[in-house]
Amino acid sequence: MVDWIADYLENIRDRRVFPDVKPGYLRRLVPDSAPFEPEPWEDIFADVERVVMPGASSPACTELEAVVMDWLGKMIGLPDDFLHSASGSKGGGVIQTTASEATFVALLAGRTEAIRRYQKLCPDLEDAEVNSRLVAYCSDQAHSSVEKAGLIGLVKMRYIESDENLSLRGDKLRQAIAKDRENGLVPFYLCATLGTTGACSFDNLKELGPICREERLWLHVDAAYAGTAFICPEFRGWLAGVEYVDSIAFNPSKWMMVHFDCTAMWVRNSGALHRTFNVDPLYLQHENSGLAIDYMHWQIPLSKRFRALKLWFVIRNFGVKGLQKHIREGVRLAKEFEHMVRSDKRFIVAAQRHLGLVVFRLAGEQEGGVCDGDAATEILLKRLNAGGKMHAVPASLRGRYVIRFTVTSQRTTIEDIKEDWDLIRRTATVVLNEMEE
Ligand code: PLP
């Protein structure tokens, strides 16, 4: 790689300054779908010259992104409407910087559509007047980035109570919408979460989807962590109802071994994004305007990094098979850790384990423990993190302090898990003894 860069710089004057390719050139040079088997690095690297360099940074950056997002969309089982290449498709994928940005972009698109619809009924209303009546929804388990999207978009955000499994259900959404409509407000957006931050719980898309369709709410799915797991067919049950979704995003940078930053986002119909972000100054026009994808209409920034490259490299280097193996191993190790926690009566698994996330805490007095469980768990976590041997992040679940333990690295082994568990147990003994004194 270093030699290649040196040669490139030395011989730069032999290359064209402007690419001589037609729109769609790159799609003809690469397969339609991701390889199932891993590919050797030599083959992947050779394709930088064969596939990427003829298109320089642009259009290669755009075209590779569209291809790789189609690969990834197929890998997680998205319907064809979300693929650039499907016949008659108005949708496709785009790489955003973060899940927060994807949630915000989706909210802006939903807002554009709601304002347009409302102004057809009441043409005298200004955009800002409609905006002031808009209401968005998410569950009480949604990530803080959803709250942030509402703050920046200047729309009211309702946090709907999740059920006993920490899942957002249809009946609660219906009630919230009805109440807001009664008060003259305009419900326009729901951010459902597949794999919440606190406990990896899943909102019920099957129930929420038809309601959003009926009530004309933009349905965005934030699957930041759990989205990677959908590469394995056995974990796709949670995607039931995806046929109602307008946009969905996940972070390959969380569990797919792609370096941060990288958020894969798909939309069913890019029209709303174009209407939201469309600007057309002379200096951005080019001979292929309108013929090729212009990602500047799909995102907030104009320029973009060539993030598709790292996604392309990782998918090819592991193959679908290797990625599935990695996910299944993460889940297996989390299950092992869960068994360890359950085997020690001083601990409680605080929510049902899904995928690779185990949330646990020390038992309180009412649960057979010896002291205030929340206070003890907090001290335990602080001691563990201060020790420098392991790091975990807390969450509050229904007001209880819990520790989140997750496996996302390809290098984590069962020995690491045993070592961590041993440390957790020993530290817990010290903390509980101190608290009893
Ligand atoms: N959504 C969920 C469910 C998350 O767990 C996280 C981060 O942990 C985010 C969104 C925020 O992700 P990002 O840092 O990509 O904005």
Side-chain angles (χ1 to χ4, degrees):
M1 175 69 89
V2 171
D3 285 347
W4 185 87
I5 292 169
D7 288 345
Y8 172 83
L9 294 174
E10 205 159 297
N11 302 311
I12 200 158
R13 281 170 191 79
D14 300 340
R15 293 187 183 258
R16 287 183 59 90
V17 284
F18 194 78
D20 181 26
V21 293
K22 296 266 174 299
Y25 91 95
L26 191 144
R27 203 171 268 282
R28 286 188 278 279
L29 299 176
V30 293
D32 293 342
S33 301
F36 185 70
E37 297 290 337
E39 293 184 48
W41 170 246
E42 291 70 31
D43 293 0
I44 299 169
F45 184 45
D47 275 354
V48 172
E49 193 59 73
R50 185 182 72 90
V51 175
V52 177
M53 292 317 287
S57 65
S58 184
C61 173
T62 300
E63 294 209 6
L64 189 65
E65 184 160 323
V67 166
V68 171
M69 288 302 293
D70 276 4
W71 283 15
L72 193 54
K74 288 184 201 170
M75 283 163 64
I76 63 167
L78 288 184
D80 281 358
D81 306 5
F82 290 99
L83 308 180
H84 294 281
S85 56
S87 87
S89 162
K90 296 180 184 148
V94 54
I95 305 178
Q96 305 282 2
T97 318
T98 57
S100 306
E101 200 169 309
T103 297
F104 181 51
V105 163
L107 180 136
L108 293 180
R111 185 178 76 167
T112 303
E113 296 308 87
I115 292 177
R116 264 168 38 107
R117 269 201 313 274
Y118 209 76
Q119 285 176 335
K120 276 196 190 135
L121 296 173
C122 311
D124 296 339
L125 281 184
E126 293 290 333
D127 292 8
E129 287 173 286
V130 184
N131 201 145
S132 69
R133 295 190 195 185
L134 296 178
V135 196
Y137 304 90
C138 62
S139 99
D140 54 10
Q141 300 300 311
H143 187 263
S144 58
S145 50
V146 186
E147 179 184 358
K148 197 186 262 183
L151 284 178
I152 321 171
L154 285 179
V155 296
K156 294 168 198 60
M157 185 66 67
R158 302 264 187 259
Y159 306 93
I160 306 174
E161 192 188 355
S162 51
D163 71 4
E164 66 283 3
N165 296 315
L166 305 170
S167 166
L168 179 59
R169 305 293 301 271
D171 52 347
K172 285 277 167 41
L173 175 67
R174 254 190 213 292
Q175 285 164 16
I177 293 174
K179 196 167 161 212
D180 284 325
R181 286 212 193 278
E182 258 171 50
N183 291 326
L185 298 173
V186 182
F188 82 105
Y189 174 82
L190 169 68
C191 179
T193 311
L194 294 185
T196 59
T197 314
C200 196
S201 59
F202 291 82
D203 291 344
N204 192 322
L205 276 193
K206 229 172 150 175
E207 289 179 7
L208 302 169
I211 301 172
C212 291
R213 179 77 48 98
E214 203 181 302
E215 300 278 354
R216 308 201 75 177
L217 266 61
W218 182 285
L219 175 52
H220 175 67
V221 171
D222 174 7
Y225 158 73
T228 299
F230 302 144
I231 296 174
C232 300
E234 68 268 30
F235 298 128
R236 286 190 203 146
W238 289 300
L239 273 176
V242 70
E243 60 277 15
Y244 294 99
V245 165
D246 294 293
S247 55
I248 177 167
F250 86 93
N251 283 4
S253 56
K254 281 203 192 301
W255 195 7
M256 218 181 102
M257 298 173 291
V258 177
H259 287 165
F260 175 81
D261 50 24
C262 184
T263 293
M265 178 190 193
W266 292 266
V267 289
R268 181 182 296 283
N269 184 343
S270 62
L273 292 182
H274 279 78
R275 284 187 280 278
T276 304
F277 295 125
N278 200 12
V279 284
D280 196 23
L282 183 60
Y283 50 80
L284 292 180
Q285 290 169 17
H286 51 85
E287 68 272 26
N288 294 319
S289 286
L291 292 176
I293 298 168
D294 248 333
Y295 275 130
M296 69 172 171
H297 304 313
W298 295 56
Q299 61 184 28
I300 297 169
L302 168 62
S303 359
K304 71 188 301 157
R305 295 179 53 203
F306 205 153
R307 296 191 191 91
L309 268 185
K310 59 186 175 185
L311 207 45
W312 193 46
F313 289 167
V314 169
I315 294 172
R316 294 180 64 183
N317 208 203
F318 282 87
V320 174
K321 187 180 172 183
L323 293 170
Q324 288 178 339
K325 186 165 168 255
H326 165 68
I327 294 152
R328 288 173 183 143
E329 179 62 2
V331 176
R332 187 186 77 80
L333 291 176
K335 275 187 193 166
E336 294 278 355
F337 181 75
E338 182 191 6
H339 288 314
M340 295 174 193
V341 178
R342 288 194 191 280
S343 70
D344 187 328
K345 293 273 174 292
R346 299 173 302 168
F347 289 89
I348 286 183
V349 173
Q352 189 184 342
R353 180 202 50 78
H354 291 303
L355 301 175
L357 181 70
V358 181
V359 288
F360 66 97
R361 60 184 171 80
L362 283 163
E365 269 160 355
Q366 304 89 328
E367 299 149 329
V370 291
C371 54
D372 176 344
D374 287 335
T377 308
E378 189 171 350
I379 297 171
L380 170 65
L381 180 63
K382 286 187 176 148
R383 291 272 172 93
L384 290 169
N385 284 342
K389 282 281 181 200
M390 63 170 283
H391 178 75
V393 174
S396 172
L397 287 186
R398 301 257 182 271
R400 303 304 304 263
Y401 190 99
V402 300
I403 299 175
R404 303 162 61 259
F405 184 97
T406 185
V407 182
T408 53
S409 163
Q410 69 181 118
R411 303 199 185 277
T412 305
T413 64
I414 188 65
E415 296 312 317
D416 295 315
I417 304 285
K418 284 182 184 159
E419 211 173 288
D420 284 350
W421 175 237
D422 194 43
L423 181 65
I424 294 168
R425 277 173 51 196
R426 280 188 284 115
T427 313
T429 303
V430 175
V431 170
L432 292 174
N433 284 344
E434 280 172 13
M435 289 187 79
E436 261 189 298
E437 277 167 12

